[in-house]
Each structure stands twice: as C-alpha cells, then as structure tokens.
Amino acid sequence: MADDLAEEYQQYLTRFDAALGAIEVGAFAKHKGKLIKKLDFEEFGAKSKEYLELASHYFESVDRGDTINDVVVKLIREHAATLVLPSPV
C-alpha cells in the first residue's frame, strides 16, 4: 500500500508540474481560481485519503438516490483541485 501511495504521489507531482509549473514543495500556485499548495508526501497522503472518502460517500449517495448537499459537491471539487485531479462532479 505504501508503494501505491508513493506511485500516486509521483503521479500527483507530474500532474502538478504539468498544470501549474515546477515550483517547490510547500509553495503555492493558482489553479482553477484557487490558491493551491504543492503538497509534501505526508500532506498528499492525508488529502488523498480525505478525497477518496468524500468521493466514495458521494457516489454511494447518488446510487441510493439521496439528495446531494451543495457543500459536499464543493468539498469534492476543492479536494480534486488540491490534488490536481479532474473533478468527478
């Protein structure tokens, strides 16, 4: 699992550099109208876990036909932007 996270982090760094330019870890750049910090490995692991949990709850809610709160959608989009991922919603 640690190897998977390390690989995901490398993919994140590649996405970040391609989308926002090569800046130092810990520095900020503007992405999709938001100021995004280039995360270190530990920060990435925590944000990635939060994002996956949020997205999982969102899709489970959609599958059940629940009403989706706009705040949840906003959180998912913010996490996706932080991880330089396309928003799934």
Side-chain angles (χ1 to χ4, degrees):
M1 183 143 164
D3 289 340
D4 290 341
L5 186 58
E7 184 177 327
E8 288 177 33
Y9 182 64
Q10 288 304 313
Q11 291 171 359
Y12 158 76
L13 292 175
T14 300
R15 282 193 312 272
F16 193 102
D17 290 349
L20 294 116
I23 64 170
E24 295 294 319
V25 170
F28 290 84
K30 195 154 190 159
H31 179 62
K32 296 186 178 184
K34 301 193 180 317
L35 205 53
I36 304 296
K37 179 182 177 185
K38 189 171 188 178
L39 305 172
D40 64 26
F41 182 74
E42 290 78 23
E43 292 170 319
F44 173 82
K47 285 289 183 189
S48 180
K49 181 180 177 194
E50 288 174 24
Y51 170 75
L52 292 173
E53 288 172 358
L54 272 172
S56 174
H57 289 299
Y58 171 80
F59 288 116
E60 288 170 6
S61 294
V62 168
D63 288 343
R64 285 191 307 265
D66 295 347
T67 301
I68 305 300
N69 186 320
D70 290 340
V71 173
V72 173
V73 173
K74 182 179 178 195
L75 283 171
I76 291 171
R77 288 180 178 155
E78 287 176 358
H79 277 70
T82 299
L83 298 171
V84 194
L85 291 170
S87 178
V89 293

